[in-house]
Amino acid sequence: MAKPPPPPRSFLLVVKAASITIAASVAFLYVIGSMGGKKPPARAVDEGAPAGAADQSAAPAAEVNAACVTSAKIAAALKDLAKGEVAAMTIATKPEPMPDYAFDGPDGAPVSLASFKGKTTLLNIWATWCVPCRAEMPALDRLQQAFAGQNFQVVAVNVDTTRLERAKAFLAETGVKSLTYYGDPKANLFYEMKQSGKALGLPTTALIGADGCQIGLMNGPAAWDSADAKALISRALETPSN
């Protein structure tokens, strides 16, 4: 019996491309779904690669932005402290100035991120419909309490766009007392951070130096009242600026 003719080459290419796309999509979803507050393991060097291949592909050190010299020193001191409960915090190798994001203060008056310049700031974006965000609020409140009186400020900005009273009610119900309420009922802050690649979802947290530069960035929740988180913030506050 004669064998059927093989499928055309174009058909095989389409099937192969579709298989690669599906595999990549599954891998991406697995990484995002399994990260939580932990970093994925560092990429291993291929066993068949020649010795020193990883070093050859490393990018040369970039010059530090003149406006972020202080944050660059702090970032260098923090690189080994992004571990444990705050392992998902990516410490900047080259801190850059944060945009002057705008949102509302507790009285509804406009506030900008620049108003916190001079303090080490932990900017957290959250919403009441985000379950991990809700879990973080009491922990962030305890973190603020732990560093009360120091040059440190947790700025938790709620981005609920409907039933705005729910956010304040939730904070009151959970006993949050040390955090000042900030809101962005149009969620512009979140969308701006998302467009710039800083935010993948909620919660998103940025560690900002007193000079207004981004030291670290985390997508996903963390135990902000843990020993790991406190060690990270403590070192950021202790690092000399000169």
Side-chain angles (χ1 to χ4, degrees):
M1 185 174 64
K3 294 182 179 180
R9 186 169 181 271
S10 60
F11 174 78
L12 294 175
L13 290 175
V14 170
V15 171
K16 185 177 181 181
S19 300
I20 293 173
T21 301
I22 292 172
S25 299
V26 171
F28 175 77
L29 291 173
Y30 173 77
V31 170
I32 295 300
S34 62
M35 277 177 62
K38 312 295 180 185
K39 282 181 181 174
R43 182 174 64 85
V45 178
D46 292 341
E47 292 181 0
D55 293 336
Q56 292 173 3
S57 63
E63 291 185 6
V64 175
N65 188 305
C68 301
V69 173
T70 298
S71 282
K73 294 177 181 178
I74 295 172
L78 296 184
K79 62 182 181 180
D80 294 329
L81 290 177
K83 61 183 180 179
E85 296 295 342
V86 289
M89 173 72 77
T90 299
I91 303 299
T93 55
K94 180 190 172 187
E96 294 288 341
M98 284 286 284
D100 191 17
Y101 296 124
F103 41 92
D104 296 338
D107 57 357
V111 177
S112 74
L113 191 58
S115 63
F116 299 96
K117 199 168 183 178
K119 290 186 176 182
T120 298
T121 303
L122 194 69
L123 175 67
N124 177 272
I125 315 302
W126 71 287
T128 58
W129 45 262
C130 165
V131 175
C133 300
R134 293 168 65 95
E136 279 192 327
M137 288 301 108
L140 284 167
D141 188 57
R142 289 189 284 271
L143 181 68
Q144 182 66 72
Q145 290 176 14
F147 291 94
Q150 299 188 48
N151 202 35
F152 173 71
Q153 181 77 43
V154 175
V155 179
V157 182
N158 176 264
V159 293
D160 283 24
T161 57
T162 60
R163 297 180 60 185
L164 305 182
E165 72 283 356
R166 286 184 300 184
K168 290 183 179 180
F170 167 75
L171 295 177
E173 290 167 6
T174 52
V176 171
K177 298 178 181 179
S178 296
L179 298 184
T180 300
Y181 174 83
Y182 297 100
D184 181 10
K186 293 184 178 180
N188 288 332
L189 170 56
F190 172 67
Y191 291 123
E192 288 174 21
M193 292 186 73
K194 190 173 183 180
Q195 288 176 349
S196 66
K198 294 182 185 297
L200 301 177
L202 293 178
T204 293
T205 308
L207 179 61
I208 305 166
D211 53 10
C213 298
Q214 179 185 308
I215 296 172
L217 183 68
M218 180 184 293
N219 277 277
W224 290 109
D225 56 348
S226 65
D228 293 321
K230 290 176 181 177
L232 185 78
I233 300 302
S234 181
R235 179 67 62 83
L237 293 173
E238 291 172 359
T239 302
S241 59
N242 51 26

